[in-house]
Amino acid sequence: MNQAILDFDLQAQASDRAGFELGWDHARHGLVPPPGLLLDGTPIGQGWRAGKAVFGRRTLAATRLVRRWLALRTTAWRQGEALDPARLTLRHLAALETAHCPVTRRALGGAAGGDDAPVVARLNAAAGYTPGRLAMLCTQAAAALEGLDAGALLRRAVQADAGLADAPGGLTPAQGWRLAVLASFATTMPFTEAVRVPLRVLPPPGAEVVNPVQQLQALVTLQFVSAGWSERIRRLAALLPAAGGDALRHDLQLLAGALAARLLEARAGTEPLAVRRALEDAWADRRVNQRWQAFAHALGEAGVHTLLGRALQAPAAAARSAAPASPADGAVRPVLPRVAMAPARALRLVAAPRRAAGGGAARA
């Protein structure tokens, strides 16, 4: 048996095993797979019949999340894509939940197949169904993403802005930009290319940012989601590499000033969703992008890694040095300096902004 035949056999065996497990899990939750997949001899049909014989009526609850998990696995199986249910768990899927599509900004809901029905979409088809590379979009945005990678989407966004082409899938130019930036989050890009991508959308729930310079871009932007941003920017500036010194701090202050000005012009108030959208829209401004690129290029790729490492270590170091809040709960509270509004482990950015008590988003 040659290698090509062996590889095909292994892939077929993996697909059969995944199909059997998918049918089994349908039976475990008292659900029936799509009719076309229940034919005699199909892996899903075999798994479902075996599970039905074992579980009978002793099934688990088929929640909305379970149904979405099984539907996503069914789609992946039909596409011949690998989806490991041990890696992409219900917990991972729950982390993607959001009320609004990050691309169209419309509320998610409605009948299945409708433009605003929620869909779990791959931000980078080459990455498959990998946790961190998925996002919940509306059906229209997910359909516009199909067949296009980050590079193609970014080019279409530039062309749509210039009136040279339409945004994909009937999206507006602004929506096309948000879709392109989402795809860039899940696509490894050279530093010089990633720097030029405007942050027209913040990372949605459950999505990771793979390019360090975009992680820093999002981290800086997230400082403005609540009152006290100037103090947080000052703390971030204190963590800048020594090389560059005052010039780097000056560049960061110019970027912060440009973002703050756009936020004030938007009159977003304190409502978290409005503030988030105002910050995203700020990145459509030429001055904001010029300030960002000047700062990022002056910092350099190595400097970006250094600053991110320091920014994400600062809250942890502060927490280790803090005393328990009270003998009752023994909780260790992080103390100053706290740099990022929402830093996460392994350079992952959590996009959900927090409402600050009694403070406006744009107040320093």
Side-chain angles (χ1 to χ4, degrees):
M1 180 180 292
N2 63 37
Q3 187 63 43
I5 295 175
L6 179 61
D7 289 344
F8 179 80
D9 286 347
L10 291 174
Q11 292 172 4
Q13 291 172 18
S15 177
D16 287 351
R17 183 170 61 252
F20 186 93
E21 292 173 354
L22 180 54
W24 179 276
D25 284 339
H26 271 87
R28 175 181 291 174
H29 292 278
L31 298 173
V32 180
L37 303 179
L38 280 176
L39 299 175
D40 290 338
T42 62
I44 290 180
Q46 291 172 346
W48 180 75
R49 289 179 179 86
K52 192 171 176 59
V54 170
F55 299 118
R57 295 184 178 180
R58 302 183 305 277
T59 58
L60 300 177
T63 64
R64 176 175 55 87
L65 188 61
V66 165
R67 291 174 183 270
R68 181 171 291 156
W69 184 57
L70 293 174
L72 186 64
R73 290 169 59 190
T74 301
T75 298
W77 190 82
R78 280 174 157 162
Q79 294 171 338
E81 294 280 354
L83 190 161
D84 184 355
R87 291 191 63 205
L88 186 61
T89 63
L90 288 171
R91 180 179 178 182
H92 288 118
L93 211 55
L96 303 179
E97 293 282 346
T98 184
H100 296 83
C101 175
V103 173
T104 65
R105 294 181 172 176
R106 299 192 299 261
L108 292 171
D115 279 353
D116 294 324
V119 175
V120 176
R122 294 176 294 169
L123 299 180
N124 180 354
Y129 290 89
T130 304
R133 307 296 186 270
L134 305 172
M136 184 170 289
L137 309 179
C138 68
T139 300
Q140 181 188 9
L145 186 60
E146 287 297 322
L148 296 173
D149 61 15
L153 287 164
L154 287 167
R155 288 191 293 272
R156 287 282 291 273
V158 172
Q159 293 168 352
D161 255 357
L164 301 176
D166 293 330
L171 300 175
T172 67
Q175 292 168 351
W177 265 115
R178 290 194 284 270
L179 185 66
V181 176
L182 277 180
S184 75
F185 290 158
T187 306
T188 302
M189 303 171 66
F191 175 82
T192 53
E193 292 182 15
V195 167
R196 296 199 301 267
V197 178
L199 194 70
R200 297 288 292 267
V201 65
L202 284 163
E208 295 179 2
V209 183
V210 302
N211 298 297
V213 72
Q214 288 183 300
Q215 294 170 13
L216 179 60
Q217 189 180 22
L219 187 149
V220 171
T221 306
L222 287 169
Q223 306 314 305
F224 294 83
V225 299
S226 66
W229 60 264
S230 62
E231 175 62 17
R232 289 189 292 274
I233 292 294
R234 186 190 67 77
R235 295 189 195 120
L236 184 60
L239 299 178
L240 285 166
D246 292 340
L248 277 176
R249 286 189 286 274
H250 181 65
D251 286 342
L252 178 58
Q253 290 294 340
L254 289 176
L255 171 60
L259 280 168
R262 301 289 81 74
L263 192 55
L264 286 170
E265 286 178 1
R267 301 179 184 273
T270 60
E271 201 278 315
L273 184 59
V275 172
R276 178 189 181 90
R277 290 177 175 178
L279 286 169
E280 293 173 341
D281 292 342
W283 283 95
D285 182 77
R286 181 185 298 273
R287 182 177 294 273
V288 169
N289 286 279
Q290 289 173 338
R291 298 302 192 195
W292 159 248
Q293 291 178 30
F295 171 64
H297 282 299
L299 189 58
E301 191 168 4
V304 166
H305 283 274
T306 299
L307 180 56
L308 279 173
R310 292 174 178 177
L312 295 176
Q313 288 170 7
R320 287 195 297 270
S321 65
S326 69
D329 61 8
V332 178
R333 309 288 188 200
V335 296
L336 298 179
R338 189 180 181 96
V339 176
M341 286 300 302
R345 297 171 187 170
L347 302 184
R348 179 174 174 175
L349 291 170
V350 179
R354 299 175 183 174
R355 184 190 296 272
R363 288 210 305 268

